Amino acid sequence: MSRTGKSFLAKHLYFLFFIFFSLGANAQCAMCRAALGGDENTKQAQAVNDGIVYLMVVPYLLVAVIGYLIYRMYQSKKKKVS
């Protein structure tokens, strides 16, 4: 197997490892934690955590899609030049 093939395989294995073995995170700011503190608000606190994570994921997805589109644009320009 060539060096680029090994690099390609290693990158994809790392990606799959991080997807399948990711850890859950509690994403609360200090103000949210203070407002939702206590044992009686566990469902509400979990809902706030999920909302924060959801809002955090959207910008990353947009950047990834834009990056992919730029990558495809450069690849098509390379094919036209060759």
Side-chain angles (χ1 to χ4, degrees), residues 20-31:
F20 290 117
F21 297 106
S22 63
L23 300 174
N26 291 326
Q28 274 188 348
C29 66
M31 295 297 289

Side-chain angles (χ1 to χ4, degrees), residues 67-79:
Y68 176 72
L69 292 173
I70 291 171
Y71 171 78
R72 272 191 25 201
M73 182 180 67
Y74 281 121
Q75 291 299 320
S76 67
K77 282 185 180 181
K78 280 184 181 180
K79 287 182 181 178

Side-chain angles (χ1 to χ4, degrees), residues 8-22:
F8 179 78
L9 181 64
K11 287 179 185 177
H12 281 81
L13 286 176
Y14 285 131
F15 177 75
L16 288 174
F17 177 80
F18 286 117
I19 292 294
F20 290 117
F21 297 106
S22 63

Side-chain angles (χ1 to χ4, degrees), residues 5 14 33 35 44 49 53 61 68-69 73-74 82:
Y14 285 131
R33 182 174 292 283
Q44 189 178 9
N49 279 340
V53 171
L61 286 176
Y68 176 72
L69 292 173
M73 182 180 67
Y74 281 121
S82 296

